[in-house]
């Protein structure tokens, strides 16, 4: 009898554990998978000791992907930082800085991604690189939708009062960073918009001043099959989408009452080149009657094309203003030399500093990432590159003369291109459509 009784107890315990496995409060409770030690009201680090004396924001539109060196934010005069954060908790290590940074006027962008695949996702059927995607679409109707919703709600509840800008998903025109499975651009975009609207409403309810963005990679106007690139055939077309086409669909699905913004990633093309101003691969179809009408890739050279497109009346928000636009990710390699990398950044600043339509631009990254491109302002061993000094001085009138001299020297060596030839003419917009925040 005692043996049977013990067996019954063991069975009941096992049944209870199985039932709790489907209870998000138990499985995703703050002491199980959620990193509760990063609670903002109980910081693990003494942030004050890391900051320069009387540290405050410069209110500059420049910023970077934050890698943990909090002192550099103020030394470099950054007005923005970005943090990648996943639904399962990766990225939360940097959250402990948010309160102190917000109090000092730093604008914070959270890039929210889903790092857990729903049950039943068939990766083997995907072509090439899409068999191993980095992230999955935030989809609250998926098999793990309850898990996604629970963790999303926790993130908004814990961090919303410190976050200025939210980016929902990463580069959603490519399933490599937002995997869903084979789908037409219409079906895929509709599913994304349904979840985006839920995220948008929750974020706005928690902080009505927050901005919510959708991010896109370089692929501005993808070619049709057997046109300019045979890779974009019918199979790839179910996983890789045309940004221009998606913007039209998003505008139709979300409408004017949802104040969605656009986060662009106009890297140089090719990535291995820092000379974006002389980029022969900027994406024009050389057979087109008007080159500027057929940009294949959106790069640092021609990103103004996206602004012109979004300035069309159909895309304006309910107040007939241009939607918020930021360059939320870009970088220049140091492979061709640190002088060239640094000069490229200053040339880009000349394009952006007086552009009233770009509310922020975020460099990727503060420190080298393990991708081999050596994009960082500092190396992975914390050695400051020349680009670090340019980033610091480029928007300081009294300190940036040397940046201009550096750029002139590099242009003289590599072929001078007047900045007016690099800046594309912007659409004629009324003052009412210009970004003011």
């Amino acid at each position: 009898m005692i043996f049977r009784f013990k067996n019954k107890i063991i069975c009941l315990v096992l049944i209870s554990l199985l039932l709790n496995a489907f209870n998000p409060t138990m499985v995703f409770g703050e002491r199980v998978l959620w990193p509760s030690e990063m609670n903002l009201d109980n910081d693990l680090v003494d942030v004050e000791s890391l900051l320069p004396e009387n540290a405050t924001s410069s209110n500059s539109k420049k910023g970077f992907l934050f890698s943990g060196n909090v002192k550099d934010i103020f030394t470099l005069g950054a007005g923005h930082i970005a943090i990648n954060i996943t639904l399962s908790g990766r990225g939360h290590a940097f959250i402990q800085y948010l309160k102190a940074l917000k109090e000092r006027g730093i604008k914070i962008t959270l890039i929210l991604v889903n790092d857990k695949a729903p049950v039943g996702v068939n990766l083997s059927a995907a072509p090439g690189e899409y068999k191993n995607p980095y992230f999955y679409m935030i989809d609250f109707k998926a098999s793990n939708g309850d898990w996604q919703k629970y963790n999303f709600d926790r993130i908004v509840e814990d961090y919303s009062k410190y976050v200025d800008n939210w980016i929902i998903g990463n580069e959603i025109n490519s399933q490599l960073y937002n995997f869903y499975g084979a789908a037409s651009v219409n079906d895929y975009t509709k599913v994304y918009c349904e979840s985006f609207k839920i995220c948008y409403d929750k974020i706005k309810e928690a902080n009505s001043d927050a901005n919510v963005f959708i991010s896109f990679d370089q692929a501005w106007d993808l070619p049709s099959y057997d046109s300019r690139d045979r890779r974009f055939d019918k199979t790839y077309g179910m996983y890789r989408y045309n940004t221009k086409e998606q913007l039209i669909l998003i505008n139709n699905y979300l409408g004017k009452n949802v104040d969605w913004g656009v986060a662009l990633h106009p890297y140089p093309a090719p990535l291995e080149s820092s000379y974006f101003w002389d980029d022969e691969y900027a994406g024009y179809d050389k057979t087109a009657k008007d080159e500027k009408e057929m940009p294949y890739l959106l790069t640092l050279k021609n990103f103004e094309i996206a602004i012109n497109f979004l300035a069309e009346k159909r895309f304006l928000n309910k107040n007939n203003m241009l939607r918020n636009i930021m360059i939320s990710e870009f970088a220049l390699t140091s492979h061709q030399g640190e002088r060239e990398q640094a000069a490229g950044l200053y040339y880009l600043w000349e394009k952006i500093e007086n552009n009233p339509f770009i509310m922020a631009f975020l460099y990727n990254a503060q420190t080298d990432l393990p991708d081999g491109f050596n994009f960082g302002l500092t190396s992975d061993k914390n050695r400051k590159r020349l680009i670090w000094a340019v980033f610091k001085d480029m928007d300081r009138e009294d300190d940036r003369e040397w940046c201009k001299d550096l750029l002139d020297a590099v242009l003289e060596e590599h072929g001078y291109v007047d900045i007016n030839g690099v800046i594309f003419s912007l659409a004629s917009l009324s003052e009412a459509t210009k970004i003011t925040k």
Side-chain angles (χ1 to χ4, degrees), residues 104-296:
R104 288 160 178 80
I106 301 297
K107 291 183 172 59
I108 296 161
T109 297
L110 279 194
I111 303 164
L112 184 63
V113 291
N114 173 26
D115 56 340
K116 186 172 181 180
V119 176
V121 169
N122 185 7
L123 296 175
S124 63
E129 60 192 348
Y130 300 98
K131 295 182 187 296
N132 187 30
Y134 291 95
F135 303 113
Y136 303 87
M137 183 186 288
I138 295 175
D139 177 10
F140 298 127
K141 292 184 178 179
S143 58
N144 64 348
D146 288 344
W147 174 86
Q148 294 184 50
K149 187 66 167 59
Y150 177 81
N151 281 325
F152 169 72
D153 287 347
R154 277 292 306 267
I155 289 170
V156 174
E157 179 183 347
D158 286 357
Y159 309 142
S160 61
K161 59 185 174 182
Y162 305 106
V163 178
D164 301 277
N165 305 307
W166 296 77
I167 299 176
I168 308 301
N170 181 54
E171 297 185 351
I172 69 148
N173 57 312
S174 171
Q175 291 207 33
L176 185 61
Y177 289 95
N178 204 63
F179 193 88
Y180 174 73
S184 69
V185 63
N186 297 64
D187 293 341
Y188 172 90
T189 306
K190 183 179 181 181
V191 172
Y192 172 83
C193 286
E194 288 172 349
S195 290
F196 177 89
K197 181 61 165 58
I198 294 172
C199 294
Y200 176 91
D201 288 343
K202 180 76 176 180
I203 289 167
K204 285 291 191 178
E205 180 184 354
N207 178 6
S208 61
D209 293 328
N211 303 306
V212 191
F213 291 84
I214 304 170
S215 83
F216 302 91
D217 71 6
Q218 293 176 287
W220 177 248
D221 195 2
L222 286 178
S224 58
Y225 176 59
D226 204 22
S227 175
R228 284 161 283 178
D229 190 335
R230 291 183 65 88
R231 288 186 308 128
F232 293 102
D233 57 16
K234 185 175 181 180
T235 301
Y236 273 86
M238 302 292 277
Y239 295 87
R240 193 86 161 90
Y241 308 105
N242 182 312
T243 296
K244 285 179 65 176
E245 186 177 3
Q246 272 200 299
L247 283 170
I248 294 170
L249 291 171
I250 288 168
N251 196 45
N252 291 338
Y253 287 137
L254 296 179
K256 286 187 175 294
N257 289 328
V258 179
D259 197 14
W260 51 275
V262 176
L264 302 172
H265 294 181
Y267 281 88
L271 282 171
E272 292 79 8
S273 174
S274 337
Y275 314 133
F276 73 86
W277 59 88
D278 197 25
D279 183 5
E280 62 178 317
Y281 301 107
Y284 300 131
D285 180 353
K286 298 300 184 184
T287 65
K289 293 181 180 179
D290 184 350
E291 289 182 352
K292 294 182 181 180
E293 294 301 317
M294 293 292 291
Y296 167 18

